[in-house]
Amino acid sequence: MRREILAANWKMNHTNASGVAMIKELAPLVKDAKAEVVVCAPYLMLTDLIEAARGTNIGIGAENIYFEDKGAFTGEVSAPMLKEIGVEYVIIGHSERRQYFNETDETVNKKVHKAFEYGFTPIVCVGESLEQRDYGVTNDLVRYQTKIALFGLDAEQVKKVVIAYEPVWAIGTGRTATSEQAEEVCKAIRDCIAELYGQAVADEVRVQYGGSMKPSNAEELLAQPNIDGGLIGGASLVADDFSKLIR
Ligand code: PGA
């Protein structure tokens, strides 16, 4: 019922030239993909990537967005700017933004609202640190993050949100959550949405897993009933790996 969504999160890696080259290499490899295919990249290269992806089934997303439309916010990029160039998706609240750039649950919520105002599909990241997992508060924490992220949205909007469950200890570390661990938390996220908006709404929300997902572990993770895709960093940088994972 839910269409799987596999999103690359390139982070601060490709340049315009290498990014465009990768889209051109990726496009024929994933043209028959059943899943929704997305590439999220730094602002600077989005125009070029959108151009390179025109006529393909690859959607292009930003890795962040600001929650005001315009004004004196040096260095920020607004939703209207992204809309104008044809961006379709936006990652919000990635743990690296929470950790290094003062992103909070409150700013995540403001950005989610802004994303809907401009018709982007938000990919909202939640997830626990190793310390929080050891304290046994993983499900409490992701529920808390999810509730604040979605605060004030109506049911129709919530259906369109993509939640990425990314245990911080699994990001870029080569350490993946087991499929049981990932499924447990993704189910907790769906249950939380069901409590707030009803089961029918929760059943439409796509919940991704992210954290060292790669071709060798993707199949098992994606076979879990509550995992509807992946947010992929390292393994999304090379067309061969990312397309293998998608296929
Ligand atoms: P990773 O990153 O696949 O390199 O662990 C995932 C992410 O941060 O979205």
Side-chain angles (χ1 to χ4, degrees), residues 121-137:
T121 297
I123 300 176
V124 180
C125 304
V126 298
E128 82 290 1
S129 66
L130 196 52
E131 200 181 17
Q132 289 161 333
R133 176 162 282 271
D134 289 343
Y135 279 125
V137 299

Side-chain angles (χ1 to χ4, degrees), residues 110-205:
K110 286 185 184 180
K111 291 177 178 190
V112 171
H113 280 275
K114 190 52 73 181
F116 276 115
E117 195 182 321
Y118 284 86
F120 303 122
T121 297
I123 300 176
V124 180
C125 304
V126 298
E128 82 290 1
S129 66
L130 196 52
E131 200 181 17
Q132 289 161 333
R133 176 162 282 271
D134 289 343
Y135 279 125
V137 299
T138 297
N139 289 0
D140 304 293
L141 181 85
V142 298
R143 286 172 56 90
Y144 179 93
Q145 291 173 325
T146 303
K147 278 189 177 179
I148 299 180
L150 303 184
F151 185 79
L153 296 183
D154 63 37
E156 289 312 306
Q157 291 172 321
V158 171
K159 285 180 190 170
K160 295 186 196 125
V161 172
V162 177
I163 308 267
Y165 165 55
E166 299 206 303
V168 177
W169 49 271
I171 295 177
T173 58
R175 224 182 120 179
T176 322
T178 64
S179 50
E180 292 78 22
Q181 285 172 324
E183 166 63 15
E184 187 202 328
V185 184
C186 291
K187 181 171 187 310
I189 291 167
R190 195 177 311 285
D191 289 346
C192 170
I193 297 171
E195 284 165 32
L196 295 170
Y197 292 92
Q199 193 64 50
V201 172
D203 283 343
E204 288 199 35
V205 176

